Amino acid sequence: MTVDHVRGVVVDIEEPKTVNTQYGESDLCEVTIRPDRRSGEPTTVTLWGKWTENAEVIETGMEIAVYNPDEREYQGEQQYSVGGDATLVVQPDFLVDVTDIRAWVQCPRMYYLRKLDGADHAYPLVKGTVVHEVFGDLLRGRDLDTAIEEQVDAAGLDIGLLGREADEVAGDVRDHASAIQGWLRQGTLTETDGAATAADNSERDFSPAESEWRSEMTLISERFGMKGRADAVRRGMPVELKTGKNTKREPRFQDKIQATAYALMLGERAAGAGSAVEAAPDTGTLLYTKNAAVDRNEESGDLSPAKEFSIGSGLLNYVVRTRNAIAAMEYDSGVPTGYEANAKCEYCFEQDTCMAVSGRLDQESKAGTVGRAVPDEELDYFESFYTAIEAERRAVHREYAKLWEQTPEERADNDRALIDLEPIGRTELDGGRWELRATGTGAVSKIREGNLVLASDGDPVTGNAELARVERLGNEAPRASDSGNGNAVAEEIVVTADEPLDLRRLDVYPSELTTDRLQNALHDAVLLQSPEQKDVLFGRREPEFNAVEETFIDNNEAQNEAVQLAVGAEDFALVHGPPGTGKTYTLARMVRALVEGSKTPSERASGERSDPRDGGDRVLLSAFTNRAVDNLLEALEDQGYTDIVRVGTESGVREDMQKYRLETSGDPGECAGRLQNAQVVAATTATCGGSTLQTQDFDTAVVDEAGQLTEPGTLAATTLADRFVLVGDHQQLPPVVQSEDETLSTSLFERLIDAHPDAGVMLDRQYRMAQHIQAFASREFYDGQLRPATGEVAAQRLDDLDGVSTSRLPEGLRDRVAFVDPGGSQVGNTNPTEADRIAEIVASYRSAGVPADDIGVIAPYRAQVAEISKRLPDVTVDTVDRFQGSSKEVIVISFVATGTLDSPIFEDYRRINVALTRAKKALVLVGDGDALATDEVYGRMVEWARG
């Protein structure tokens, strides 16, 4: 029986050899695989010709797939050959980006350097982005002048940070855009192509099925393990825009390879189960826009912007072999040397950087090396974290594979997709983007408003799909982070995308942005920081502090000490803030003290300052989540400080904090000036890794939620400043890590507070919980040091709330802490009996007069959150992770598990610490007492709750 492909794990690989065939000499290499993820019988795959190049990088343990193989049976064994029309794919579940294939063709070291250092905030990049946006606008039929004006305005901040003027940039963009417009006017884009016209209304149907043009087309290849966004596709053929010049008749080779990669993925979509190589378009176009801007009296050669080239099987297979080389290197986080490709180092604009990085990291490089390597402990640190981050990247790639490995229903059950949406409309917005609307089913998922998602017509891989931004999830029920529950229970879902489609499905988009920025932060920390800054991070000296006598907070000794420590820190300070200890207030006061500068008594008398820094620091205020950043801004505002700039997207910033948000569009000088002149700049640590804040310098970085951040994630903020303050609680939720490599699981905060306890202060007085509620957490997680700040806090009861009487509660709920065992059984990740009992418990508190807004329910699984939410639509229900940082007067915790605690979710006791410390006046634990008693910690918790 002929098969269209065979796939398996490599168990043996022979040395390549040369043999004589009827067609002459040919290289071959035999690879033995076990199909079906090692469960099948050993099978021989023979690589012929140029495919043997990949044999040099294939290792045992890797997975390979062969499409359209030649088959034969030999001595009872089915054998397969890769030659002719067959295609070999190495590590097919690792999706290589097309731009990475292009970089590898230029030089494998360039591919590696791009991972480490990212993209600089440079004029060619900013201008190129604007030109690409104008290109998309012109394809949609927009007026050239309007498109340039709007896109230059949209890039106002980026332009301003480069010290450029809008008119100057508009002129440069116009020179490039004229090449695009002239090409389109030559008849390349016609009415029969489905081109948009000015007369089109905003509801026009511009779907790929009816239009020959697509702009910024998202492509994901299941077969070849590739992904990317083609600049444009016309009549099924790729068109790539390049803002450089090329006076030769042929496109540059690396540019041809990029367009060819898109052609291969387009062929896959067209071929179905057939040969993608045969179905691929035979022509690609490169549009070099700078050709239109050069002086023809000074340049010779072919100055036509558009350069077409032929695409054949040889070029298509070369793309796959190059992609295989990258996937094989990433299998074990290898580092390329540059010898893997025919790179010309002497002509490379990255040569100096390549040599410097190679020298500093003691790496082999075709370009050579300069400089002295960093100390061995720094090399070990770099290698360890580089490997861990790449393991995290591979975990992200496994999520890509689930787009086709799982059914839509499985994706939805795993909270990774919203399916069965019903399209209800689409509208073209100002600027050319589209608003897509659909009605949902009320299902829950990990998708949140503001997320970047994959929107599709039902199939995100072979169907019509676009990267989209979630603007609204129906009448989304409130979440724990904003006093609600996070379940999309109502009607309309709204997203915005570059192109229109019938919105039938949303998938979580497995973005590599986080891993990219972690690598950039690692690079900056090890290679760009001064030796003095690194000495303290690597334990070569102790952190230093200046004595600060000024009193900043007069009614809480630990809070005051935390501010003093931060103000006096020469290197770093650490603030351990357990639940409810006034961490946010302390942080706000700390920022004010840093900005205002501190004085000794003698300085206050003389009016002079001995330390120039006492003139006031420029402060970067950061945190893991947008919620925490906005809470800090609110605390600063409450203390009367408003000289703040908030960097973030409109959807990511709380509505009442929008007034501080930095506009990225508008007059370049005004946009940049507002950022550059701000004394306090606030942003998430992820945003700190972006190009905007990488242009800024700070005296002090203050980072909240530091216990939840990976070490490189924290470095993204701290490397922007001369010194830093980390604030967090390593006894609450740790960093979220998807891979099995545990290197990233320990935060920088935890590492430093263990290594330098004298550099830290623990806030030990909490203002949230009644004495009985806080007792277990204090004893189990804080060595008994956590205590109520006042007698009033310790003695608080539900009766203190207006209209509430605990006498109306059932006797079992009248104590501050209660345990309820409802019986029932776990069904998957739900426990319906437990959900029913929780609904009854909440009803009892409501009958006693407790408002619904004062009650929260925490469950370990999203499925149980959904189960409970069906019964309690007006009450905050959420997972432990999303409840961190929130609190309620009454908290009810669902444990779901019965019989045993065999889920990994129960293994980290820090999760239960978070759950138990959300309650102020009443806490109810609902679960199987016998199951919980099988674990010592949970057993002690049940004994405490039962009194």
Side-chain angles (χ1 to χ4, degrees):
M1 180 181 69
T2 301
V3 298
D4 65 339
H5 79 281
V6 60
R7 177 170 173 166
V9 177
V10 176
V11 295
D12 187 40
I13 182 166
E14 307 244 340
E15 288 293 325
K17 58 187 176 182
T18 302
V19 297
N20 289 312
T21 71
Q22 60 181 322
Y23 304 107
E25 285 191 344
S26 179
D27 294 331
L28 70 79
C29 179
E30 291 187 339
V31 180
T32 305
I33 66 171
R34 297 197 67 164
D36 302 323
R37 303 188 187 277
R38 293 184 186 270
S39 63
E41 291 298 317
T43 303
T44 300
V45 174
T46 304
L47 311 182
W48 288 92
K50 288 186 177 295
W51 290 109
T52 59
E53 295 174 7
N54 283 155
E56 298 176 8
V57 297
I58 295 175
E59 301 175 17
T60 56
M62 288 183 179
E63 193 169 22
I64 65 171
V66 179
Y67 291 91
N68 303 313
D70 296 326
E71 298 179 61
R72 72 165 184 164
E73 186 174 323
Y74 179 71
Q75 296 183 350
E77 178 192 346
Q78 197 73 15
Q79 298 185 340
Y80 302 90
S81 296
V82 183
D85 295 332
T87 307
L88 168 72
V89 182
V90 178
Q91 290 293 101
D93 286 348
F94 189 89
L95 267 63
V96 179
D97 196 279
V98 170
T99 58
D100 290 333
I101 297 174
R102 179 185 186 274
W104 185 277
V105 169
Q106 283 184 278
C107 175
R109 287 289 296 176
M110 186 173 293
Y111 161 80
Y112 175 71
L113 293 173
R114 279 184 49 180
K115 284 207 299 184
L116 290 189
D117 199 18
D120 291 333
H121 189 80
Y123 184 57
L125 182 63
V126 172
K127 180 181 66 177
T129 300
V130 175
V131 172
H132 273 79
E133 293 297 329
V134 171
F135 179 44
D137 286 346
L138 292 178
L139 291 184
R140 300 181 188 99
R142 305 195 73 213
D143 173 70
L144 175 62
D145 291 337
T146 302
I148 292 174
E149 180 182 354
E150 290 185 358
Q151 296 301 343
V152 169
D153 183 79
L157 176 62
D158 288 334
I159 293 168
L161 290 173
L162 292 166
R164 303 271 182 159
E165 297 291 336
D167 290 345
E168 172 194 4
V169 178
D172 288 348
V173 171
R174 186 177 302 280
D175 289 339
H176 288 262
S178 65
I180 303 169
Q181 192 174 49
W183 182 57
L184 296 180
R185 282 175 175 168
Q186 292 173 9
T188 307
L189 182 61
T190 67
E191 289 299 321
T192 58
D193 286 328
T197 66
D200 288 339
N201 64 54
S202 62
E203 296 282 347
R204 71 176 185 275
D205 194 350
F206 190 46
S207 66
E210 299 170 341
S211 169
E212 298 294 338
W213 272 97
R214 285 289 304 275
S215 170
E216 291 289 340
M217 185 174 184
T218 299
L219 295 167
I220 298 175
S221 171
E222 170 188 356
R223 182 178 302 185
F224 299 110
M226 297 193 302
K227 61 184 175 68
R229 298 192 79 193
D231 286 342
V233 175
R234 176 181 179 263
R235 294 179 180 170
M237 294 180 288
V239 178
E240 281 299 293
L241 182 72
K242 300 297 173 186
T243 54
K245 70 178 179 181
N246 178 14
T247 59
K248 300 182 183 301
R249 293 186 62 185
E250 280 285 307
R252 294 188 182 91
F253 184 65
Q254 63 265 25
D255 298 336
K256 290 168 67 171
I257 292 303
Q258 182 176 1
T260 301
Y262 292 127
L264 184 62
M265 289 193 283
L266 291 167
E268 179 184 1
R269 292 167 68 94
S275 170
V277 172
E278 292 181 4
D282 60 7
T283 304
T285 302
L286 272 299
L287 191 58
Y288 293 95
T289 60
K290 194 172 182 179
N291 280 14
V294 301
D295 189 333
R296 292 180 177 270
N297 294 322
E298 297 179 3
E299 292 281 356
S300 60
D302 183 359
L303 294 178
S304 59
K307 301 181 189 296
E308 293 187 350
F309 69 100
S310 298
I311 298 174
S313 60
L315 210 55
L316 292 163
N317 287 331
Y318 177 83
V319 165
V320 179
R321 290 196 298 275
T322 304
R323 175 255 163 230
N324 288 345
I326 297 173
M329 189 202 70
E330 294 292 358
Y331 174 71
D332 56 3
S333 304
V335 175
T337 63
Y339 290 104
E340 299 86 350
N342 188 28
K344 301 292 191 295
C345 297
E346 61 269 27
Y347 303 123
C348 180
F349 62 89
E350 292 280 9
Q351 182 181 10
D352 291 345
T353 300
C354 182
M355 294 172 69
V357 169
S358 301
R360 298 281 281 158
L361 295 178
D362 196 25
Q363 296 172 342
E364 181 183 4
S365 170
K366 185 179 180 180
T369 63
V370 294
R372 186 171 60 184
V374 298
D376 288 346
E377 63 267 24
E378 295 182 30
L379 288 175
D380 292 343
Y381 176 91
F382 182 91
E383 182 177 349
S384 174
F385 276 100
Y386 178 86
T387 301
I389 294 168
E390 290 308 301
E392 198 71 2
R393 190 189 304 275
R394 290 192 292 274
V396 172
H397 282 256
R398 287 195 290 274
E399 290 299 316
Y400 281 117
K402 291 176 184 177
L403 288 171
W404 55 80
E405 289 179 348
Q406 294 181 327
T407 66
E409 292 73 23
E410 287 172 333
R411 293 280 294 165
D413 288 344
N414 290 336
D415 302 327
R416 309 296 292 179
L418 294 172
I419 63 174
D420 298 329
L421 309 182
E422 186 63 36
I424 58 175
R426 58 175 93 166
T427 304
E428 186 173 17
L429 306 172
D430 292 341
R433 282 176 64 80
W434 287 80
E435 181 182 86
L436 313 176
R437 302 183 301 280
T439 53
T441 63
V444 297
S445 79
K446 292 183 178 180
I447 295 172
R448 303 293 186 225
E449 289 182 359
N451 285 174
L452 189 67
V453 296
L454 200 56
S456 69
D457 58 2
D459 189 330
V461 179
T462 62
N464 184 17
E466 287 286 331
L467 287 179
R469 181 76 63 183
V470 178
E471 305 295 340
R472 187 165 69 252
L473 282 177
N475 298 323
E476 187 183 55
R479 293 170 289 192
S481 56
D482 55 13
S483 301
N485 71 19
N487 305 295
V489 296
E491 312 301 327
E492 193 173 60
I493 293 173
V494 180
V495 303
T496 53
D498 284 338
E499 298 289 351
L501 52 77
D502 291 333
L503 183 59
R504 300 186 183 278
R505 174 172 164 178
L506 293 180
D507 282 86
V508 171
Y509 184 67
S511 173
E512 292 177 68
L513 180 62
T514 296
T515 53
D516 289 341
R517 290 184 173 176
L518 292 182
Q519 289 291 21
N520 299 165
L522 177 64
H523 166 275
D524 292 352
V526 175
L527 299 186
L528 300 185
Q529 285 197 121
S530 69
E532 293 75 23
Q533 287 177 297
K534 290 190 291 182
D535 281 347
V536 70
L537 284 177
F538 288 97
R540 295 191 286 262
R541 68 174 175 85
E542 291 293 315
E544 297 178 1
F545 295 88
N546 296 312
V548 176
E549 300 175 12
E550 187 171 349
T551 298
F552 301 97
I553 299 173
D554 58 12
N555 62 351
N556 188 309
E557 184 178 345
Q559 290 181 351
N560 185 62
E561 185 182 350
V563 179
Q564 289 176 328
L565 199 71
V567 171
E570 288 291 338
D571 305 294
F572 65 79
L574 309 168
V575 179
H576 182 191
T581 52
K583 172 175 60 70
T584 303
Y585 171 84
T586 306
L587 266 173
R589 185 65 189 92
M590 179 189 300
V591 170
R592 286 175 48 218
L594 289 166
V595 168
E596 294 164 359
S598 64
K599 298 180 181 180
T600 65
S602 61
E603 287 172 342
R604 277 196 293 270
S606 66
E608 297 178 354
R609 299 177 188 270
S610 59
D611 185 345
R613 199 177 97 216
D614 286 343
D617 283 6
R618 188 177 192 224
V619 176
L620 172 62
L621 183 58
S622 191
F624 179 49
T625 63
N626 277 302
R627 180 193 67 232
V629 175
D630 289 335
N631 287 344
L632 290 169
L633 296 193
E634 182 181 15
L636 279 170
E637 192 177 57
D638 289 344
Q639 294 182 27
Y641 189 86
T642 58
D643 183 12
I644 308 162
V645 164
R646 172 73 158 92
V647 181
T649 63
E650 184 174 358
S651 59
V653 178
R654 214 168 70 192
E655 186 175 355
D656 60 331
M657 294 295 129
Q658 289 288 333
K659 56 182 175 289
Y660 300 116
R661 192 175 71 85
L662 178 66
E663 288 292 342
T664 58
S665 60
D667 179 85
E670 292 180 5
C671 290
R674 188 173 173 219
L675 174 61
Q676 292 164 336
N677 296 326
Q679 195 76 11
V680 175
V681 177
T684 62
T685 49
T687 300
C688 290
S691 60
T692 296
L693 286 179
Q694 291 293 308
T695 66
Q696 303 298 296
D697 295 310
F698 299 90
D699 298 300
T700 305
V702 178
V703 183
D704 192 13
E705 299 183 315
Q708 292 179 257
L709 286 161
T710 64
E711 184 155 336
T714 308
L715 294 173
T718 61
T719 54
L720 300 179
D722 297 333
R723 63 197 66 82
F724 60 85
V725 182
L726 302 185
V727 185
D729 182 4
H730 50 297
Q731 297 299 335
Q732 296 191 64
L733 294 181
V736 177
V737 179
Q738 298 184 59
S739 74
E740 295 180 1
D741 190 316
E742 297 184 355
T743 305
L744 293 172
S745 297
T746 301
S747 66
L748 178 62
F749 176 82
E750 183 174 359
R751 179 169 77 83
L752 291 180
I753 208 162
D754 286 345
H756 305 285
D758 291 341
V761 175
M762 176 177 161
L763 307 182
D764 55 6
R765 295 165 61 181
Q766 60 86 13
Y767 298 81
R768 176 185 299 167
M769 298 165 278
Q771 171 68 39
H772 189 189
I773 293 174
Q774 66 113 62
F776 179 79
S778 178
R779 182 177 68 244
E780 202 73 33
F781 300 103
Y782 302 106
D783 297 325
Q785 295 181 58
L786 189 64
R787 63 188 192 277
T790 66
E792 289 78 8
V793 172
Q796 61 182 310
R797 302 177 55 85
L798 281 175
D799 295 288
D800 299 337
L801 299 176
D802 290 342
V804 178
S805 173
T806 54
S807 64
R808 286 181 274 169
L809 286 169
E811 187 172 346
L813 297 178
R814 291 178 184 175
D815 291 337
R816 292 183 179 87
V817 180
F819 184 84
V820 176
D821 189 335
S825 300
Q826 181 175 352
V827 182
N829 285 336
T830 69
N831 189 322
T833 301
E834 207 168 274
D836 290 338
R837 187 69 181 96
I838 287 170
E840 294 171 4
I841 290 169
V842 170
S844 295
Y845 281 108
R846 297 285 288 113
S847 297
V850 181
D853 287 347
D854 286 338
I855 302 172
V857 180
I858 301 176
Y861 309 106
R862 286 186 178 84
Q864 182 72 347
V865 168
E867 192 75 24
I868 297 169
S869 296
K870 294 174 188 176
R871 298 159 173 79
L872 299 171
D874 299 326
V875 172
T876 303
V877 185
D878 220 327
T879 60
V880 176
D881 303 66
R882 295 190 66 81
F883 242 105
Q884 180 154 329
S886 304
S887 62
K888 293 287 184 180
E889 302 292 346
V890 177
I891 287 289
V892 183
I893 302 176
S894 169
F895 287 91
V896 178
T898 55
T900 61
L901 303 180
D902 58 0
S903 171
I905 206 163
F906 293 105
E907 293 176 1
D908 192 334
Y909 300 125
R910 290 174 291 190
R911 305 181 70 83
I912 193 59
N913 182 33
V914 174
L916 296 175
T917 54
R918 301 307 97 193
K920 296 180 181 179
K921 297 178 173 64
L923 174 66
V924 184
L925 312 184
V926 183
D928 180 345
D930 292 338
L932 292 167
T934 62
D935 179 278
E936 288 185 4
V937 173
Y938 288 104
R940 289 196 295 271
M941 177 194 71
V942 172
E943 290 179 11
W944 158 73
R946 283 174 165 165

